[in-house]
Amino acid sequence: KPLRSFTNPTYLLYSIGKYVSKNFAATPRQIRPLGTDAHLPATDLERELIVLVVGEAARADRFSLNGYHRPTNPRLQQDNVISLHQVYSSGTSTAFSVPCMFSNIPRDQFTERKGAANENLLDVLSHAGVNVLWRENNSDSKGVAVRVPYADYKTPKVNPVCDIECRDEGMLVGLQEYIDGHPQGDIVIVLHQMGNHGPAYHKRYPKNFALFAPTCETNQLEECTNDAIGNSYDNAIVYTDYFLDKVIALLKNNSRRFETAMLYMSDHGESLGELGIYLHGLPYAMAPEHQKHVASLLWFGDSYTIDREAV
């Protein structure tokens, strides 16, 4: 991706045009409202606590919950989760997929410009009086969370769980205090993971999660075998398994006060050398299934028994 920045003179011209478009637009962009009449029914007396986890570059076929031969989901296997086997991403990049995931615009009609010009799911929840919080450990929310409370956990100043980089687990620190600090209304918390962000898969998990070896200890994938790349990638999946298990534990601790649920969905998949292709970002029509077939999970607290049976 950075190579495009070295293409001269075309990238210079592109950058000038982008800067002018962003900073000297003739009129401010008007955001089209969505669901301003949204409300909670008076008959809904139970409070909801829901965590939406936005994953990063997690392939469905690397989850043992979906039949993968390696034990990449040892904790989730015990958590009574529902794995959604046939979920496909909106796009093959975070910049496209994340805003599309929260939009009401169909994938084949969605553009980043349309996404930025329209309110999204978080706005509708806010209109309904739901307490919404976005915690970020990836690049950013891609415009999704610009109108709701937002916290960046990519630095040790905020994230207390950091080593070579700040860990997804750190986004859970202080969440109980946030929940306790909102004694009224439903709560929806979005956690945007670093997950399996490539190509430095070896940095995406603490060393004690290196279950599979040998690993690829560089972001220069051409220096590693596909087996080593796959081992590092799978270790990052094991760390996501650990992280999601901790999310579920938090929800279980609050199940007496709330109807609790978790939804996990990755933004896109990843190529790991199949057909000589790595990473992600190919045009959707050309992208292999590995870049589009994503991991997605549901977990419901005990009060959602009927919902679980319906699923």
Side-chain angles (χ1 to χ4, degrees), residues 11 42 63 65 71 110 123 133 150 155 177 184 190 197 230 238 253 286 289:
Y11 195 77
F63 273 50
L65 286 167
F110 184 85
D123 297 297
L133 173 67
Y150 175 95
T155 68
E177 288 76 8
Q184 295 182 335
V190 185
H197 198 296
V238 175
N253 288 339
M286 299 172 54
E289 179 159 313

Side-chain angles (χ1 to χ4, degrees), residues 62-89:
R62 293 293 179 131
F63 273 50
S64 55
L65 286 167
N66 296 332
Y68 187 45
H69 67 280
R70 283 179 157 177
T72 51
N73 302 129
R75 295 169 181 82
L76 291 175
Q77 295 275 31
Q78 309 300 319
D79 282 329
N80 196 26
V81 300
I82 299 167
S83 182
L84 306 176
H85 299 271
Q86 296 298 324
V87 174
Y88 284 78
S89 63

Side-chain angles (χ1 to χ4, degrees), residues 21-39:
S21 175
K22 181 178 180 179
N23 294 283
F24 298 96
T27 57
R29 175 181 290 167
Q30 297 296 316
I31 306 299
R32 184 177 295 111
L34 177 67
T36 55
D37 59 345
H39 65 278

